[in-house]
């Protein structure tokens, strides 16, 4: 179609692709049943502004959906669900001490890690295969095998869901913590991340401090692996003990690793000397939630159609046709038994709706 000069250019693009009552089952990695009041696919920053300016959707509550890999849906979502599909990856800057890569919020995180390696840009390899999208990565400051998103972060753009204004935030403004950021606190539900920029330090240095990677170095005799080798190791480690959501519904780690004081840690060691714990810089200790759950005998157990994964007790799985309520019932039972035995309250990592 060709537009005559008098045709407003916006006439062909104002229609927002929206679906009423859309099923979210295939958009959450647990595969839980739930419908959105309205689903809108967001393919650009302009699309977000169009939602904000829309006479009906502008006023509706919003729910931002990335890869749906950190989500437990227990009911229908009475909101305008923004499904983030902003694509695009590019090398933005080459500085002497870093490369800066920019990616759209809808890019699959692992695809970004692979793209960077394919383009000679190492630095994200320890975070290979983390499920979810680039836009969701800063929300919970994803991390694995000794590297967190905040260690590779430059800035992000987010659009305010009330005013439609775009803001750029640096790492300090994002207030990153362990599986935490301002997007889970003060900005929760108030803005949507559209673009993320990552800073990959030059020269690249391998991050091999994590026990399982140290083991790979010993097993293979490769003491100076390149980034591709580390990527392959991380993929192999994850595939060996974490279920593929395409095969078994799950949301990765279901609980955060609890952080306790030195005194609490001594108390827990008194209850079981084998408890896996790591000292943190501030004198507190991080406990392995998977170990605590495993020690309570949950590995491989189920309640209804929700279960605890056989190879990693920190991961809850959908054994087929589970409801969100069944997952929550299982999670509560685990929390109660860990509290009863160790006096520790486990905090869920995924968002429960
Ligand atoms: N453990 C057990 N039994 C289990 C599971 C774990 O005894 O069933 C013990 C392990 O032997 C190990 C310790 O617990 O000594 C820690 O386990 P692991 O190294 O597998 O790491 P994690 O603490 O369970 C965290 C992240 C993962 C990330 C890995 C690797 C959290 C909540 N989880 O898991 O992130 O991949 O470290 O860095 O911080 C995610 O967030 O979805 C996720 C998968």
């Amino acid at each position: 179609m060709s537009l005559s000069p008098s045709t407003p250019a916006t006439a062909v693009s104002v229609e927002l692709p929206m679906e009423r009552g859309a099923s979210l089952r295939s958009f959450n990695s647990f595969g839980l049943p739930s419908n959105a009041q309205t689903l809108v696919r967001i393919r650009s920053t302009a699309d977000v502004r169009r939602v904000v300016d829309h006479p009906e959707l502008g006023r509706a509550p919003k729910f931002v959906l990335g890869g749906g890999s950190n989500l437990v849906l227990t009911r229908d979502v009475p909101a305008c669900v923004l499904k983030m599909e902003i694509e695009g990856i590019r090398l933005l800057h080459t500085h002497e001490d870093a490369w800066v890569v920019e990616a759209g919020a809808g890019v699959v995180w692992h695809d970004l890690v692979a793209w960077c390696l394919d383009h000679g840009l190492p630095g994200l390899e320890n975070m290979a295969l983390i499920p979810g999208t680039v836009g969701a990565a800063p929300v919970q400051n994803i991390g694995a095998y000794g590297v967190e998103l905040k260690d590779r972060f430059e800035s992000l753009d987010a659009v305010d869901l009330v005013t439609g204004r775009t803001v750029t935030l640096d790492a300090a403004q994002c207030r990153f913590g362990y599986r935490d950021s301002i997007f889970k606190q003060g900005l929760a539900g108030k803005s949507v991340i559209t673009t993320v920029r990552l800073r990959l330090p030059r020269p690249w240095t391998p991050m091999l401090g994590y026990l399982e990677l140290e083991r790979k170095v010993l097993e293979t005799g490769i003491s100076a692996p390149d980034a591709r080798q580390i990527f392959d190791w991380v993929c192999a480690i994850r595939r060996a003990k974490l279920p593929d959501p395409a095969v078994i519904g799950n949301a990765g780690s279901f609980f955060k690793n609890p952080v306790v004081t030195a005194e609490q840690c001594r108390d827990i060691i008194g209850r079981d000397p084998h408890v896996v714990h790591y000292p943190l810089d501030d004198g507190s200790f991080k406990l392995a939630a998977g170990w605590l759950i495993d020690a309570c005998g949950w590995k491989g157990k189920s309640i209804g159609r929700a279960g605890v994964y056989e190879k990693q007790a920190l991961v809850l799985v959908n054994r087929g046709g589970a409801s969100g309520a069944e997952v929550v019932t299982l999670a509560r039972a685990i929390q109660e038994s860990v509290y009863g035995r160790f006096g520790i309250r486990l905090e869920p990592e995924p968002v429960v709706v």
Side-chain angles (χ1 to χ4, degrees):
M1 185 177 78
S2 69
L3 297 176
S4 73
S6 59
T7 308
T10 48
V12 287
S13 60
V14 282
E15 277 303 306
L16 273 170
M18 63 171 103
E19 297 160 52
R20 305 281 181 190
S23 169
L24 299 177
R25 193 194 285 266
S26 60
F27 299 145
N28 74 96
S29 64
F30 248 120
L32 300 171
S34 171
N35 294 323
Q37 188 176 70
T38 312
L39 179 88
V40 182
R41 291 168 189 268
I42 300 294
R43 301 200 167 113
S44 67
T45 302
D47 281 351
V48 182
R49 282 196 293 268
R50 285 155 68 201
V51 169
V52 170
D53 292 341
H54 191 275
E56 177 203 334
L57 300 181
R59 287 197 306 269
K62 315 285 186 305
F63 183 84
V64 180
L65 183 64
S69 54
N70 203 40
L71 188 60
V72 182
L73 292 169
T74 63
R75 58 187 171 99
D76 288 345
V77 183
C80 169
V81 174
L82 307 183
K83 177 147 190 323
M84 299 309 291
E85 297 184 353
I86 302 176
E87 293 295 330
I89 309 177
R90 63 181 175 142
L91 173 61
L92 195 61
H93 299 298
T94 301
H95 301 302
E96 208 164 292
D97 62 345
W99 296 283
V100 177
V101 175
E102 181 178 84
V107 171
V108 170
W109 171 262
H110 180 75
D111 292 351
L112 172 63
V113 177
W115 185 95
C116 286
L117 276 185
D118 289 346
H119 290 77
L121 307 169
L124 301 179
E125 54 284 346
N126 293 53
M127 293 186 279
L129 274 190
I130 295 184
T133 52
V134 166
V139 175
Q140 59 153 345
N141 182 26
I142 60 168
Y145 304 102
V147 181
E148 285 183 333
L149 180 95
K150 72 170 173 53
D151 305 323
R152 299 286 179 267
F153 185 80
E154 171 80 4
S155 65
L156 59 75
D157 295 341
V159 180
D160 186 296
L161 285 170
V162 173
T163 64
R165 278 193 17 226
T166 298
V167 289
T168 299
L169 302 184
D170 63 19
Q173 290 168 314
C174 289
R175 299 204 202 130
F176 292 122
Y178 167 59
R179 295 297 190 272
D180 198 25
S181 75
I182 195 167
F183 298 98
K184 284 181 105 175
Q185 307 291 339
L187 285 185
K190 295 196 175 126
S191 66
V192 53
I193 297 168
T194 52
T195 307
V196 177
R197 282 166 225 99
L198 298 171
R199 185 179 188 84
L200 311 179
R202 299 173 70 188
W204 172 79
T205 45
M207 298 294 288
L208 295 168
Y210 207 88
L211 184 69
E212 280 165 297
L213 290 175
E214 282 172 1
R215 237 181 246 149
K216 287 281 184 194
V217 169
L218 291 175
E219 265 167 39
T220 59
I222 302 172
S223 59
D226 61 11
R228 174 70 62 180
Q229 180 65 73
I230 296 174
F231 173 89
D232 289 343
W233 283 344
V234 169
C235 290
I237 294 166
R238 290 187 75 101
R239 288 200 171 106
K241 69 172 187 190
L242 296 173
D244 177 354
V247 183
I248 305 173
N250 75 91
S253 299
F254 198 91
F255 298 101
K256 292 185 189 179
N257 285 327
V259 176
V260 298
T261 62
E263 194 189 341
Q264 285 172 307
C265 194
R266 272 195 300 276
D267 169 58
I268 292 161
I269 292 169
R271 298 180 195 216
D272 191 324
H274 303 295
V275 63
V276 177
H277 58 289
Y278 315 93
L280 301 179
D281 291 342
D282 63 1
S284 59
F285 285 83
K286 190 183 268 189
L287 306 178
W291 186 92
L292 298 170
I293 299 166
D294 199 358
C296 291
W298 279 103
K299 206 182 248 180
K301 296 274 168 57
S302 299
I303 292 186
R305 291 161 293 180
V308 179
Y309 191 52
E310 285 70 12
K311 297 180 200 165
Q312 161 58 294
L314 195 50
V315 178
L316 304 194
V317 295
N318 181 349
R319 300 222 187 269
S323 66
E326 282 173 298
V327 173
V328 170
T329 301
L330 174 62
R332 289 210 179 115
I334 291 170
Q335 283 170 313
E336 273 167 32
S337 68
V338 168
Y339 185 72
R341 170 133 183 226
F342 296 105
I344 294 285
R345 290 192 194 281
L346 291 182
E347 200 186 316
E349 197 187 280
V351 174
V352 180
V353 175

